[in-house]
Amino acid sequence: MELRIFTRDGQKSGRDPRANPANSPNADIVNEFLRERDGQTYQSVPVAVFYTKELRYLYHYIEFPAIYHKERLAAAMRASSAGETKEQRWESFIRNWGALQEGPFFRMWASATVDEILSALHERMVVGSPG
């Protein structure tokens, strides 16, 4: 397997679910691989798309590894404790979120991202793309 990395970073992106090609040279890739969650469709960066050297699609990866449940973690950290003011809860959330980012879990999730991508690419090479 040969890996070549091509960056295509645009300077700006709109707020629409689909990128405007006039504003973003990444619009074709971002629009082809929109993220869908909780009934909403939106752009998500980073998007990593893998093709063969003949430009046959192999796999794409969007944003987070499957084991990273950011919204669930954030919701638990935002939950109020009895007698806590809104400001105290916010300060606690920011402190706890910062500690989470500085702890071992972000490195573990980064490793999970690499594992997920490599596993999917290996599967594509051994058995081909699904369906």
Side-chain angles (χ1 to χ4, degrees), residues 7-74:
T7 59
R8 297 179 53 194
D9 296 326
Q11 295 301 312
K12 58 183 174 176
S13 176
R15 300 296 266 165
D16 291 335
R18 295 189 179 276
N20 179 346
N23 295 334
S24 173
N26 297 325
D28 58 337
I29 291 177
V30 171
N31 288 338
E32 187 174 347
F33 300 100
L34 293 174
R35 185 174 180 99
E36 294 185 30
R37 186 178 60 210
D38 300 329
Q40 294 187 342
T41 301
Y42 57 94
Q43 298 170 9
S44 189
V45 176
V47 172
V49 185
F50 300 87
Y51 298 93
T52 66
K53 65 182 171 182
E54 294 82 23
L55 297 178
R56 193 181 82 240
Y57 168 80
L58 289 172
Y59 174 71
H60 71 279
Y61 177 85
I62 300 177
E63 202 171 9
F64 300 115
I67 64 167
Y68 179 49
H69 304 274
K70 179 174 112 176
E71 289 79 16
R72 187 170 184 219
L73 290 165

Side-chain angles (χ1 to χ4, degrees), residues 68-112:
Y68 179 49
H69 304 274
K70 179 174 112 176
E71 289 79 16
R72 187 170 184 219
L73 290 165
M77 289 180 183
R78 279 192 215 105
S80 315
S81 297
E84 194 172 45
T85 67
K86 188 176 182 179
E87 291 78 20
Q88 289 170 325
R89 174 70 338 226
W90 178 250
E91 289 172 12
S92 176
F93 168 73
I94 292 298
R95 186 175 51 257
N96 291 335
W97 192 256
L100 179 67
Q101 290 179 343
E102 292 174 11
F105 284 101
F106 265 65
R107 289 186 297 280
M108 181 184 70
W109 290 321
S111 294

